[in-house]
Amino acid sequence: MRGNRVAASRPPRVRARTATIGAFVVLAAMVPAAASAAGSQEVDAELPYVCAFPSGELPATVRVSAAFPDRAEAGEAFSPTGVTTTVELPAEAVADLTALGAATARAATRLTVGVTQNEAAAEATWRGTAEPVALPGSGPLTLTTTGDVPSVTGRSDGDLVFSAGDLAVDLELGAADGSTADPGPLTVDCSLAEDAPEEGLLAAVPVGTDAPQPSGPPSLPGSSPGPSGPSSGPEEEQGERAPKVTEGTPGGTTADRDAPPCRYDENRPPTSASLNAYVTGYTNVNKLKGASLLPVSCMLIEQGIPGDGPPDPDHLVFDTVSQGDFHHEGRKRTPPVESTFLAFGFTPVKATMVLEQTGPIRIDSRIKMRLSDLLTIGETYIRAPLVLRVTALEINGTPLDVGPDCTTEKPLTSPEPDPANHPGDHVVLYGRGEQVFGEDATGYMLLTGGPLTGEVTIPAFTGCGTGGERIDRLLTASVSGSGNYVKQIQGQTCSIANPVFETPFTRGECTEDLQPYQIPVPER
């Protein structure tokens, strides 16, 4: 299968709790997969809702803003970005809250979003949180929440249609200073009003080259579809036809999640500086005129101790050297991934590959905090010696024994900005982030994750084949080459010594068994 090329785009907005130091690396595996270079469609939908308050049902206005891709490929996961849910409650609702003794409210929202494709349907939950706000003395109350949302994968060609459904607003109510009242928490359940435009339609994302446009308003999962509407049965009953929804921040353990285990154990015990996180991404493979996928992979990180950086009259500067390792089944490598692609534009090839470390991954980070306004800027260079190993190969339906030693003849390489201090063959990825004091970060920060980018050369292959049949040249001719753009996404880290668990008002960082809570999705 031939994919489109990954477009080098600006890093997305990434949340952050605090300015931090350090970063780590992972490189996209060289297995071609579909990754379309698409633009985005901005959505700002204003919808009427009816919410149940102690005094009875009251109208509310809900605005949902998000960015969706213009189109996607079948089997390609994507997540809407910049998701914001704004709930405007009428003055009568504020009076109900005040009657409970509340002076402030902190909101967490749970919006059910129906996802339909052709005759199949699934549901996703879009979660958001907000900072506490004071209740107004009169007039309406506006609550605005933001947060990560699950990824969605279309199983076949045809529009993926997103529609807003039920909304739950969890309110953490606070009393006025000096008051002895205890208003306690309150959950407000809201339903989409019957006169909502287009039954709550948010967006339609064409999937496939010739994906058709919707023929009419979509039906939400659980509703009674018209003759051309999607099936209302549960996803389990629709088999492989239903869109796949993957939570970006599922709780509990990772046993039932679409990710490999990522934990410290007796063979790799944690320290006070230990972090773990999931990573994934894409890289261009120029010779195949496509892009390749890195499967969701585990990284274990030991964060270094910051030291003074070079003098700067306007900034506090700290330099840190940290270390990160892939971790899969006790080895420093990615999980294996199988993919089918076209070599030379016509020969179907199915390969199973992994990336393996040949030495420590070095992470050089510099953090600069501007004294005038506390703006924090982080820059990170990551240097990783990695070889690409092929463990299985099938050409035009015929299995070929590649043997146990089929790898690139040396580690993958990148242009090195400081060769005098960092000699040798290794990949270089770069991440940059900024954070205004009190606001979310943009770009890459270690604790919250984000994008790292670079350019890689894939060396020639060696040791491939058995019984006198050598296939090194086939792999070299079809894959090896320079100038392959890389973009990888790291998820939120879990701090083993200070875990943060998910609550309605706290974004989860760790599962109950101290694995990364967030599973990222690759971005173009």
Side-chain angles (χ1 to χ4, degrees):
M1 177 175 61
R2 175 180 295 176
N4 296 322
R5 297 179 60 79
V6 177
S9 59
R10 295 179 60 190
R13 183 170 178 82
V14 182
R15 67 180 179 83
R17 298 182 192 279
T18 59
T20 184
I21 48 183
F24 72 88
V25 65
V26 66
L27 176 72
M30 303 303 157
V31 184
S36 60
S40 64
Q41 49 177 314
E42 304 293 331
V43 172
D44 189 3
E46 185 173 297
L47 302 169
Y49 273 75
V50 178
C51 299
F53 279 87
S55 64
E57 292 187 342
L58 296 171
T61 300
V62 176
R63 172 169 287 171
V64 181
S65 301
F68 293 81
D70 282 341
R71 60 175 300 276
E73 299 287 349
E76 176 188 0
F78 66 87
S79 291
T81 59
V83 176
T84 300
T85 303
T86 302
V87 183
E88 184 176 301
L89 301 175
E92 295 87 344
V94 178
D96 273 10
L97 301 180
T98 303
L100 296 174
T104 63
R106 183 184 184 191
T109 56
R110 290 172 284 136
L111 176 65
T112 299
V113 176
V115 187
T116 63
Q117 185 181 40
N118 301 322
E119 297 298 319
E123 284 188 348
T125 301
W126 289 8
R127 302 175 186 271
T129 57
E131 294 301 314
V133 297
L135 299 184
S138 62
L141 169 65
T142 299
L143 303 168
T144 300
T145 67
T146 60
D148 300 320
V149 302
S151 66
V152 176
T153 305
R155 302 295 184 94
S156 60
D157 288 355
D159 287 347
L160 276 175
V161 179
F162 294 77
S163 301
D166 292 341
L167 172 69
V169 183
D170 298 309
L171 296 174
E172 187 178 75
L173 302 176
D177 292 343
S179 172
T180 59
D182 182 13
L186 175 68
T187 296
V188 178
D189 292 319
C190 304
S191 299
L192 189 70
E194 293 182 356
D195 60 348
E198 298 185 276
E199 299 182 346
L201 176 67
L202 298 176
V205 178
V207 176
T209 305
D210 299 315
Q213 296 298 316
S215 57
S219 298
L220 294 176
S223 66
S224 298
S228 61
S231 167
S232 61
E235 182 177 353
E236 291 80 1
E237 295 178 4
Q238 299 171 39
E240 294 300 314
R241 296 181 295 115
K244 179 181 178 183
V245 175
T246 304
E247 291 285 344
T249 55
T253 69
T254 57
D256 57 350
R257 302 195 297 168
D258 191 15
C262 189
R263 62 167 65 90
Y264 291 85
D265 52 32
E266 63 275 4
N267 296 320
R268 180 73 182 264
T271 70
S272 59
S274 294
L275 308 170
N276 54 4
Y278 285 116
V279 290
T280 186
Y282 286 117
T283 182
N284 284 342
V285 181
N286 290 341
K287 282 191 173 180
L288 294 170
K289 297 181 175 62
S292 66
L293 172 71
L294 168 76
V296 175
S297 303
C298 171
M299 287 291 291
L300 305 181
I301 308 106
E302 289 298 311
Q303 191 172 11
I305 299 174
D308 291 338
D312 187 322
D314 300 319
H315 297 82
L316 292 175
V317 183
F318 302 96
D319 287 343
T320 306
V321 178
S322 304
Q323 180 174 319
D325 292 316
F326 283 119
H327 185 70
H328 181 68
E329 298 180 344
R331 301 175 65 181
K332 296 179 181 180
R333 65 176 190 174
T334 67
V337 61
E338 182 182 280
S339 182
T340 300
F341 58 96
L342 291 178
F344 312 112
F346 63 89
T347 304
V349 176
K350 182 165 67 175
T352 303
M353 303 184 186
V354 297
L355 283 173
E356 296 181 345
Q357 286 179 230
T358 61
I361 296 175
R362 179 185 171 105
I363 305 152
D364 290 280
S365 303
R366 173 164 293 173
I367 293 294
K368 299 172 64 176
M369 180 177 290
R370 194 160 63 196
L371 299 175
S372 60
D373 57 4
L374 302 183
L375 172 70
T376 299
I377 301 171
E379 291 190 286
T380 303
Y381 286 95
I382 306 100
R383 297 168 171 92
L386 302 166
V387 296
L388 181 61
R389 178 179 296 276
V390 179
T391 61
L393 190 66
E394 185 178 293
I395 299 179
N396 202 23
T398 302
L400 295 181
D401 189 353
V402 298
D405 303 312
C406 182
T407 66
T408 51
E409 61 184 10
K410 63 178 183 178
L412 285 65
T413 60
S414 299
E416 171 56 66
D418 187 10
N421 291 315
H422 301 284
D425 294 327
H426 52 261
V427 171
V428 179
L429 295 183
Y430 173 75
R432 185 182 189 277
E434 292 187 1
Q435 184 181 21
V436 176
F437 183 73
E439 298 183 8
D440 286 354
T442 58
Y444 181 88
M445 291 286 182
L446 175 62
L447 291 186
T448 56
L452 291 164
T453 60
E455 184 180 291
V456 64
T457 295
I458 307 169
F461 284 81
T462 186
C464 305
T466 59
E469 284 194 42
R470 310 307 299 178
I471 55 175
D472 302 340
R473 289 188 296 175
L474 171 64
L475 291 171
T476 298
S478 60
V479 175
S480 301
S482 62
N484 302 294
Y485 173 76
V486 178
K487 183 176 182 180
Q488 67 125 75
I489 304 297
Q490 173 207 316
Q492 166 74 44
T493 59
C494 168
S495 174
I496 305 302
N498 299 285
V500 176
F501 302 108
E502 177 79 358
T503 73
F505 302 98
T506 304
R507 297 175 182 177
E509 298 177 2
C510 304
T511 63
E512 296 170 0
D513 55 351
L514 299 182
Q515 301 192 62
Y517 189 84
Q518 185 185 68
I519 303 173
V521 295
E523 296 180 3
R524 296 179 296 273

